[in-house]
Amino acid sequence: MNTTINNVSSILLAIPYQLNIYLGSFLWIAGNIGCIGNMIVFRSRTYFQRAYAIYLFFEAISSFFYFDFLLLTRVLQRGFQISITTHYDILCKLRQFDSVWNHVVSLTLFTFATTDRILSLQYSDAFRKWTNRVELAYKLSLASVIFWLLFFGHRLFLYRTTNGKCIPRPGFYAIFDNYIEACVTAMCTPIVMIILGIILLRSIRGLITQKIVPINDNLSSMTVRRSIVQQIDSQLTVMLILQMTVALTTRIPYATFLIYSNITQNRTKSAYQIALENILSETVNLMSYTFFTSSFYISYITNNGFRRNLKNFFEKHRPKCVCI
Protein backbone atom coordinates (compact mmCIF):
# COMPACT_ATOMS: atom_id res chain seq x y z
CA MET A 1 0.00 0.00 0.00
CA ASN A 2 2.74 2.44 1.01
CA THR A 3 4.82 1.38 -2.00
CA THR A 4 1.94 2.20 -4.34
CA ILE A 5 1.44 5.61 -2.74
CA ASN A 6 5.15 6.36 -3.00
CA ASN A 7 5.21 5.33 -6.66
CA VAL A 8 2.23 7.52 -7.49
CA SER A 9 3.75 10.41 -5.56
CA SER A 10 7.03 10.03 -7.44
CA ILE A 11 5.23 10.11 -10.76
CA LEU A 12 3.18 13.14 -9.79
CA LEU A 13 6.29 14.97 -8.60
CA ALA A 14 8.13 14.17 -11.83
CA ILE A 15 5.39 15.33 -14.23
CA PRO A 16 6.02 19.10 -13.82
CA TYR A 17 9.70 18.64 -14.71
CA GLN A 18 8.87 16.51 -17.73
CA LEU A 19 6.27 19.01 -18.93
CA ASN A 20 8.86 21.79 -18.90
CA ILE A 21 11.48 19.65 -20.62
CA TYR A 22 9.36 18.26 -23.45
CA LEU A 23 6.42 20.62 -23.89
CA GLY A 24 8.50 23.67 -23.00
CA SER A 25 11.27 22.71 -25.43
CA PHE A 26 8.73 22.09 -28.20
CA LEU A 27 7.10 25.49 -27.66
CA TRP A 28 10.53 27.16 -27.58
CA ILE A 29 11.57 25.62 -30.90
CA ALA A 30 8.18 26.25 -32.55
CA GLY A 31 8.07 29.79 -31.20
CA ASN A 32 11.53 30.67 -32.51
CA ILE A 33 10.75 29.26 -35.94
CA GLY A 34 7.47 31.20 -35.97
CA CYS A 35 9.07 34.50 -34.91
CA ILE A 36 11.84 34.20 -37.50
CA GLY A 37 9.26 33.31 -40.16
CA ASN A 38 7.12 36.32 -39.26
CA MET A 39 10.14 38.63 -39.34
CA ILE A 40 11.13 37.33 -42.78
CA VAL A 41 7.68 37.80 -44.28
CA PHE A 42 6.76 41.14 -42.69
CA ARG A 43 10.20 42.58 -43.46
CA SER A 44 9.79 41.78 -47.17
CA ARG A 45 9.36 44.60 -49.68
CA THR A 46 5.76 43.59 -50.31
CA TYR A 47 4.68 43.92 -46.69
CA PHE A 48 7.01 46.42 -45.04
CA GLN A 49 5.51 49.38 -46.89
CA ARG A 50 2.27 48.73 -45.03
CA ALA A 51 1.66 50.00 -41.50
CA TYR A 52 0.12 46.78 -40.20
CA ALA A 53 3.18 44.81 -41.34
CA ILE A 54 5.43 47.14 -39.34
CA TYR A 55 3.38 46.42 -36.21
CA LEU A 56 3.55 42.68 -36.84
CA PHE A 57 7.28 42.82 -37.57
CA PHE A 58 8.02 44.48 -34.23
CA GLU A 59 5.60 42.10 -32.53
CA ALA A 60 7.65 39.20 -33.89
CA ILE A 61 10.84 40.76 -32.48
CA SER A 62 9.18 41.22 -29.08
CA SER A 63 7.90 37.63 -29.10
CA PHE A 64 11.36 36.39 -30.10
CA PHE A 65 12.88 37.83 -26.90
CA TYR A 66 9.84 36.56 -24.99
CA PHE A 67 10.69 33.00 -26.01
CA ASP A 68 14.48 33.22 -25.80
CA PHE A 69 14.63 34.74 -22.35
CA LEU A 70 11.42 33.96 -20.50
CA LEU A 71 10.55 30.51 -21.87
CA LEU A 72 14.16 29.38 -22.20
CA THR A 73 14.98 30.21 -18.57
CA ARG A 74 11.76 28.46 -17.53
CA VAL A 75 12.74 25.26 -19.34
CA LEU A 76 16.26 25.34 -17.91
CA GLN A 77 15.14 26.05 -14.34
CA ARG A 78 11.92 24.11 -13.99
CA GLY A 79 12.76 21.33 -16.40
CA PHE A 80 16.49 20.70 -16.26
CA GLN A 81 16.85 22.14 -12.71
CA ILE A 82 19.58 24.60 -13.71
CA SER A 83 19.34 27.57 -11.36
CA ILE A 84 19.65 30.88 -13.22
CA THR A 85 17.38 33.62 -11.97
CA THR A 86 17.07 32.33 -8.40
CA HIS A 87 20.73 33.06 -7.61
CA TYR A 88 21.04 36.56 -9.00
CA ASP A 89 18.79 39.49 -8.15
CA ILE A 90 19.32 41.21 -11.50
CA LEU A 91 18.19 38.15 -13.47
CA CYS A 92 15.27 37.67 -11.09
CA LYS A 93 14.08 41.24 -11.65
CA LEU A 94 14.60 41.13 -15.41
CA ARG A 95 12.73 37.86 -15.83
CA GLN A 96 9.74 38.93 -13.77
CA PHE A 97 9.60 42.21 -15.65
CA ASP A 98 9.95 40.51 -19.03
CA SER A 99 7.21 38.01 -18.20
CA VAL A 100 4.59 40.77 -18.37
CA TRP A 101 6.27 43.51 -20.42
CA ASN A 102 7.03 41.52 -23.56
CA HIS A 103 3.61 39.90 -23.47
CA VAL A 104 1.63 43.14 -23.36
CA VAL A 105 3.93 44.84 -25.89
CA SER A 106 3.31 42.00 -28.36
CA LEU A 107 -0.43 42.08 -27.74
CA THR A 108 -0.54 45.88 -28.11
CA LEU A 109 1.31 45.74 -31.44
CA PHE A 110 -1.03 43.02 -32.67
CA THR A 111 -3.97 45.20 -31.62
CA PHE A 112 -2.57 48.16 -33.58
CA ALA A 113 -2.15 45.97 -36.67
CA THR A 114 -5.72 44.70 -36.46
CA THR A 115 -7.05 48.21 -35.83
CA ASP A 116 -5.24 49.40 -38.97
CA ARG A 117 -7.04 46.72 -40.99
CA ILE A 118 -10.38 47.66 -39.44
CA LEU A 119 -9.89 51.32 -40.36
CA SER A 120 -9.00 50.37 -43.94
CA LEU A 121 -12.42 48.71 -44.33
CA GLN A 122 -14.40 51.78 -43.28
CA TYR A 123 -16.23 53.94 -45.82
CA SER A 124 -15.84 57.15 -43.88
CA ASP A 125 -12.83 59.21 -44.94
CA ALA A 126 -12.48 60.36 -41.34
CA PHE A 127 -11.55 56.77 -40.40
CA ARG A 128 -9.75 55.73 -43.57
CA LYS A 129 -7.27 58.61 -43.37
CA TRP A 130 -5.75 56.98 -40.29
CA THR A 131 -4.99 53.69 -42.03
CA ASN A 132 -1.60 52.69 -43.44
CA ARG A 133 0.29 55.57 -41.84
CA VAL A 134 3.81 54.18 -41.76
CA GLU A 135 5.35 57.01 -39.76
CA LEU A 136 2.57 56.72 -37.18
CA ALA A 137 3.20 52.96 -36.97
CA TYR A 138 6.81 53.56 -35.92
CA LYS A 139 5.75 56.15 -33.33
CA LEU A 140 3.01 53.96 -31.84
CA SER A 141 5.35 50.96 -31.69
CA LEU A 142 7.88 52.99 -29.71
CA ALA A 143 5.14 54.50 -27.54
CA SER A 144 3.78 51.06 -26.59
CA VAL A 145 7.25 49.92 -25.53
CA ILE A 146 7.74 53.00 -23.34
CA PHE A 147 4.21 52.97 -21.88
CA TRP A 148 4.38 49.35 -20.72
CA LEU A 149 7.93 49.90 -19.47
CA LEU A 150 6.61 52.60 -17.15
CA PHE A 151 3.52 50.58 -16.22
CA PHE A 152 5.39 47.41 -15.20
CA GLY A 153 8.75 48.99 -14.32
CA HIS A 154 8.00 48.50 -10.61
CA ARG A 155 8.94 44.84 -11.02
CA LEU A 156 12.53 45.86 -11.66
CA PHE A 157 12.68 47.26 -8.12
CA LEU A 158 10.18 45.29 -6.03
CA TYR A 159 11.19 41.71 -6.89
CA ARG A 160 14.14 40.01 -5.25
CA THR A 161 15.75 36.63 -4.66
CA THR A 162 14.89 35.25 -1.22
CA ASN A 163 15.75 31.74 -0.02
CA GLY A 164 16.31 30.51 -3.57
CA LYS A 165 13.06 31.97 -4.87
CA CYS A 166 12.34 35.02 -7.02
CA ILE A 167 9.40 36.68 -5.25
CA PRO A 168 7.76 40.09 -4.95
CA ARG A 169 8.01 42.19 -1.83
CA PRO A 170 5.66 40.50 0.69
CA GLY A 171 2.44 42.11 1.80
CA PHE A 172 0.02 44.24 -0.18
CA TYR A 173 2.34 44.57 -3.18
CA ALA A 174 2.56 40.81 -3.72
CA ILE A 175 -1.25 40.50 -3.82
CA PHE A 176 -1.63 43.61 -5.99
CA ASP A 177 1.02 42.43 -8.46
CA ASN A 178 -0.54 38.97 -8.83
CA TYR A 179 -3.99 40.36 -9.60
CA ILE A 180 -2.58 42.91 -12.05
CA GLU A 181 -0.77 40.08 -13.85
CA ALA A 182 -3.95 37.99 -13.98
CA CYS A 183 -6.07 40.83 -15.33
CA VAL A 184 -3.67 42.53 -17.74
CA THR A 185 -1.59 39.68 -19.15
CA ALA A 186 -4.12 36.84 -18.96
CA MET A 187 -7.68 38.11 -19.28
CA CYS A 188 -6.92 40.98 -21.66
CA THR A 189 -5.70 38.66 -24.41
CA PRO A 190 -8.97 36.79 -25.07
CA ILE A 191 -11.10 39.87 -24.37
CA VAL A 192 -9.16 42.04 -26.84
CA MET A 193 -9.12 39.25 -29.43
CA ILE A 194 -12.89 38.77 -29.21
CA ILE A 195 -13.64 42.49 -29.47
CA LEU A 196 -11.29 43.05 -32.40
CA GLY A 197 -12.49 39.90 -34.12
CA ILE A 198 -16.14 40.96 -33.92
CA ILE A 199 -15.40 44.48 -35.16
CA LEU A 200 -13.22 43.26 -38.03
CA LEU A 201 -15.70 40.63 -39.17
CA ARG A 202 -18.56 43.12 -39.06
CA SER A 203 -16.53 45.57 -41.12
CA ILE A 204 -15.80 42.93 -43.75
CA ARG A 205 -19.41 41.75 -43.82
CA GLY A 206 -20.54 45.31 -44.29
CA LEU A 207 -18.20 45.67 -47.25
CA ILE A 208 -19.52 42.52 -48.88
CA THR A 209 -23.22 43.07 -48.29
CA GLN A 210 -23.20 46.69 -49.38
CA LYS A 211 -25.32 47.11 -52.44
CA ILE A 212 -23.09 47.57 -55.49
CA VAL A 213 -24.89 49.22 -58.38
CA PRO A 214 -23.23 48.49 -61.75
CA ILE A 215 -22.71 51.47 -64.02
CA ASN A 216 -22.36 50.93 -67.79
CA ASP A 217 -19.98 48.01 -68.37
CA ASN A 218 -18.52 47.81 -64.87
CA LEU A 219 -20.46 44.70 -63.86
CA SER A 220 -17.52 42.36 -64.38
CA SER A 221 -15.13 44.56 -62.37
CA MET A 222 -17.65 44.75 -59.54
CA THR A 223 -18.00 40.97 -59.58
CA VAL A 224 -14.22 40.57 -59.37
CA ARG A 225 -14.11 43.04 -56.48
CA ARG A 226 -16.81 41.11 -54.64
CA SER A 227 -14.96 37.84 -55.25
CA ILE A 228 -11.70 39.25 -53.86
CA VAL A 229 -13.39 40.65 -50.78
CA GLN A 230 -15.14 37.34 -50.17
CA GLN A 231 -11.80 35.57 -50.35
CA ILE A 232 -10.34 38.02 -47.83
CA ASP A 233 -13.36 37.48 -45.60
CA SER A 234 -12.95 33.73 -45.73
CA GLN A 235 -9.24 33.83 -44.86
CA LEU A 236 -9.70 36.34 -42.04
CA THR A 237 -12.64 34.40 -40.64
CA VAL A 238 -10.60 31.21 -40.36
CA MET A 239 -7.60 33.10 -38.96
CA LEU A 240 -9.66 34.91 -36.32
CA ILE A 241 -11.55 31.80 -35.28
CA LEU A 242 -8.29 29.93 -34.79
CA GLN A 243 -6.63 32.80 -32.92
CA MET A 244 -9.64 33.37 -30.69
CA THR A 245 -9.81 29.66 -29.97
CA VAL A 246 -6.14 29.59 -28.99
CA ALA A 247 -6.56 32.72 -26.85
CA LEU A 248 -9.66 31.48 -25.07
CA THR A 249 -8.37 27.97 -24.40
CA THR A 250 -4.98 29.07 -23.06
CA ARG A 251 -5.19 32.50 -21.45
CA ILE A 252 -8.46 32.09 -19.52
CA PRO A 253 -7.25 28.95 -17.67
CA TYR A 254 -4.00 30.80 -16.94
CA ALA A 255 -5.85 33.77 -15.42
CA THR A 256 -8.25 31.51 -13.53
CA PHE A 257 -5.41 29.57 -11.95
CA LEU A 258 -3.60 32.75 -10.93
CA ILE A 259 -6.73 34.01 -9.16
CA TYR A 260 -7.30 30.59 -7.57
CA SER A 261 -3.69 30.52 -6.32
CA ASN A 262 -4.07 33.94 -4.73
CA ILE A 263 -7.32 32.98 -3.01
CA THR A 264 -6.08 29.63 -1.67
CA GLN A 265 -2.44 30.47 -0.92
CA ASN A 266 -3.03 30.56 2.86
CA ARG A 267 -5.13 27.40 3.02
CA THR A 268 -3.80 24.11 4.34
CA LYS A 269 -3.37 21.60 1.52
CA SER A 270 -2.41 17.94 1.43
CA ALA A 271 0.76 16.80 -0.34
CA TYR A 272 -1.39 15.11 -2.99
CA GLN A 273 -3.33 18.32 -3.68
CA ILE A 274 -0.13 20.35 -3.90
CA ALA A 275 1.31 17.85 -6.39
CA LEU A 276 -1.79 18.09 -8.57
CA GLU A 277 -1.78 21.88 -8.41
CA ASN A 278 1.88 21.94 -9.43
CA ILE A 279 1.03 19.88 -12.52
CA LEU A 280 -1.87 22.18 -13.35
CA SER A 281 0.26 25.26 -12.76
CA GLU A 282 3.01 24.13 -15.13
CA THR A 283 0.48 23.10 -17.76
CA VAL A 284 -1.44 26.37 -17.87
CA ASN A 285 1.75 28.42 -17.71
CA LEU A 286 3.32 26.57 -20.62
CA MET A 287 0.12 26.63 -22.67
CA SER A 288 -0.09 30.40 -22.21
CA TYR A 289 2.84 30.66 -24.65
CA THR A 290 0.89 29.05 -27.48
CA PHE A 291 -0.96 32.23 -28.47
CA PHE A 292 2.25 33.84 -29.74
CA THR A 293 3.71 30.53 -30.86
CA SER A 294 0.76 29.85 -33.14
CA SER A 295 0.52 33.20 -34.97
CA PHE A 296 3.01 32.24 -37.69
CA TYR A 297 1.44 28.86 -38.33
CA ILE A 298 -2.08 30.28 -38.44
CA SER A 299 -0.97 32.93 -40.93
CA TYR A 300 0.82 30.29 -43.01
CA ILE A 301 -2.23 28.05 -43.15
CA THR A 302 -4.85 30.73 -43.84
CA ASN A 303 -3.01 33.35 -45.92
CA ASN A 304 -1.93 32.65 -49.51
CA GLY A 305 0.10 35.87 -49.75
CA PHE A 306 2.00 34.98 -46.56
CA ARG A 307 2.97 31.58 -47.97
CA ARG A 308 3.96 33.11 -51.30
CA ASN A 309 6.28 35.67 -49.69
CA LEU A 310 7.93 33.04 -47.52
CA LYS A 311 8.44 30.79 -50.53
CA ASN A 312 9.92 33.68 -52.55
CA PHE A 313 12.38 34.43 -49.74
CA PHE A 314 13.76 30.89 -49.68
CA GLU A 315 13.90 30.67 -53.45
CA LYS A 316 15.80 33.95 -53.58
CA HIS A 317 18.32 32.83 -50.95
CA ARG A 318 18.63 29.24 -52.12
CA PRO A 319 22.26 28.29 -52.82
CA LYS A 320 22.86 28.07 -56.56
CA CYS A 321 24.47 24.94 -57.95
CA VAL A 322 27.77 25.60 -59.68
CA CYS A 323 28.06 23.01 -62.41
CA ILE A 324 31.47 22.08 -63.75
Side-chain angles (χ1 to χ4, degrees), residues 73-213:
T73 53
R74 182 184 189 88
V75 171
L76 292 176
Q77 288 190 146
R78 303 197 177 211
F80 294 99
Q81 297 297 290
I82 302 174
S83 297
I84 299 175
T85 62
T86 55
H87 285 173
Y88 305 97
D89 261 357
I90 184 64
L91 292 179
C92 163
K93 296 174 185 293
L94 286 174
R95 189 182 188 281
Q96 291 302 322
F97 168 73
D98 185 69
S99 66
V100 290
W101 179 68
N102 251 324
H103 171 82
V104 292
V105 167
S106 295
L107 178 61
T108 302
L109 293 171
F110 181 84
T111 302
F112 287 155
T114 308
T115 303
D116 180 81
R117 294 297 83 208
I118 292 173
L119 292 173
S120 70
L121 296 171
Q122 305 305 310
Y123 286 97
S124 172
D125 291 336
F127 290 110
R128 288 180 61 85
K129 72 178 183 180
W130 291 100
T131 188
N132 198 33
R133 300 183 66 168
V134 175
E135 185 178 351
L136 180 63
Y138 284 109
K139 291 179 180 179
L140 287 178
S141 298
L142 178 60
S144 66
V145 171
I146 296 174
F147 174 81
W148 291 116
L149 172 63
L150 296 175
F151 189 89
F152 284 111
H154 55 82
R155 284 195 165 201
L156 294 171
F157 304 97
L158 298 177
Y159 267 79
R160 61 188 178 186
T161 301
T162 304
N163 297 325
K165 295 182 179 180
C166 183
I167 59 174
R169 180 174 295 179
F172 171 78
Y173 174 73
I175 299 173
F176 166 80
D177 184 67
N178 283 333
Y179 278 102
I180 287 294
E181 181 181 3
C183 294
V184 176
T185 68
M187 293 303 297
C188 279
T189 300
I191 292 173
V192 170
M193 283 298 301
I194 290 173
I195 293 174
L196 290 177
I198 292 173
I199 296 174
L200 183 56
L201 287 175
R202 289 187 64 180
S203 299
I204 296 173
R205 294 295 181 186
L207 187 64
I208 292 176
T209 57
Q210 184 190 35
K211 184 178 180 180
I212 301 176
V213 181

Side-chain angles (χ1 to χ4, degrees), residues 193 197-198 200-202 204-205 208 229-245 298 302-303:
M193 283 298 301
I198 292 173
L200 183 56
L201 287 175
R202 289 187 64 180
I204 296 173
R205 294 295 181 186
I208 292 176
V229 174
Q230 287 176 337
Q231 183 180 3
I232 294 172
D233 176 48
S234 177
Q235 292 179 356
L236 285 175
T237 301
V238 174
M239 183 186 73
L240 289 170
I241 289 174
L242 290 174
Q243 288 185 328
M244 284 189 288
T245 301
I298 291 175
T302 60
N303 194 314

Side-chain angles (χ1 to χ4, degrees), residues 5 9 13 31 71 122 178 184 188 205 251 274 287 289:
I5 293 176
S9 299
L13 293 174
L71 181 56
Q122 305 305 310
N178 283 333
V184 176
C188 279
R205 294 295 181 186
R251 301 305 299 189
I274 293 173
M287 293 306 295
Y289 290 88

